[in-house]
Amino acid sequence: MLNHPTYDKLTRLKLFGMARAFAEQSALDLDHLGFEERLGLLVEHEVSERDGKALALRLQRAKLKPNTAAEDTDYRHARGLDKALFQRLLAGLWLKEKQNVLLTGPTGVGKTWLACALAHQACRMGRSAYYVRLPRMLDELAIGRADGRYMKLLKHLAKIDVLVIDDWGLAVLDDAHRRDLLEVLDDRHGSGSTIVTSQLPIEHWHAAIGDATLADAILDRLVHNAHQLNLKGDSLRKKRANLTSSASPE
Ligand SMILES: Nc1ncnc2c1ncn2[C@@H]1O[C@H](COP(=O)(O)OP(=O)(O)OP(=O)(O)O)[C@@H](O)[C@H]1O
């Protein structure tokens, strides 16, 4: 640790990135750099450390599936992924426009993974994200209703820039579920983006919601301003299991 009054003062001011860069610069011969360049390097260090910490915090809060960075997307597996659309989504305009993304396809085709990759990219662009499975979200809201945290939970869900709702259409909805879903989507309509993944094709969602009037209201807030990625093909789980078993010795 450097013993220097400037280093101590930077640390006292909680400018830890600058302090570290100051210590590094002190150990190097940087006489060829002018004052502005050296100060610029210190400030750059501080900014990149703060950006890195803020991103780590956003990712921790987002609770995305691990290791789902967009650059690791597997485009080789034939599953009907519209690569051009996916690349456009990664560029982030849909976030500014508060649009939604609906990912459908059979089990294991990579819907959750792609949804998390989009949310991960949004976090890198400075947005907040949160991943939740629909049955869990509805359970949490039901518990919140009983223990007085309902409004707080709704507020939390409303504030998130990118809400990933996984496994839409897996469980049967009762009337309270439908109303909770409408509350969540109504709060978010025009103020945030929602990603939904489902094994059910979109044309079956209305019937799956189970009440025509509420289904109209829910889907009106979700589908009309949404990009759709409809995947098909074999499960990546099966493919990976086959690869593992053929690679392992008898
Ligand atoms: N691009 C990818 N790169 C690496 N692994 C992937 C990728 N896409 C999917 N996988 C892996 O394939 C498996 C299935 O993916 P995922 O859970 O996203 O499928 P799903 O379509 O959401 O399935 P389900 O409908 O059953 O929830 C997971 O183990 C996931 O980690």
Side-chain angles (χ1 to χ4, degrees), residues 108-128:
V109 80
K111 302 179 295 297
T112 303
W113 201 98
L114 292 170
C116 288
L118 288 175
H120 192 287
Q121 181 72 1
C123 288
R124 283 180 176 164
M125 293 174 160
R127 314 276 174 153
S128 60

Side-chain angles (χ1 to χ4, degrees), residues 3 30 40 60 79 94 108 117 196 207 243:
N3 187 7
L30 294 178
Q60 189 191 336
R79 51 181 166 166
W94 68 291
V196 172
L243 282 176

Side-chain angles (χ1 to χ4, degrees), residues 65-68 72-75 79 105-114 166-167 170 197-199 231 235-237 240:
K65 297 287 177 193
N67 308 317
T68 48
D72 297 329
T73 306
D74 183 355
Y75 294 108
R79 51 181 166 166
T107 184
V109 80
K111 302 179 295 297
T112 303
W113 201 98
L114 292 170
D166 200 8
D167 289 337
L170 271 191
T197 81
S198 179
Q199 288 183 34
L231 306 177
S235 166
L236 278 160
R237 287 191 195 98
R240 273 156 208 270

Side-chain angles (χ1 to χ4, degrees), residues 8 13 18 35 37 42 64 80 87 99 111 125 143 148 151 155 178 182 193 219 225 242:
D8 294 340
L13 290 168
M18 277 180 95
F35 168 75
E37 280 168 302
L42 296 185
L64 306 177
Q87 293 287 350
Q99 294 168 340
K111 302 179 295 297
M125 293 174 160
I143 295 167
M151 291 313 293
K155 235 187 227 169
R178 288 187 278 268
L182 180 56
S193 293
L219 295 182
N225 61 346
N242 287 345

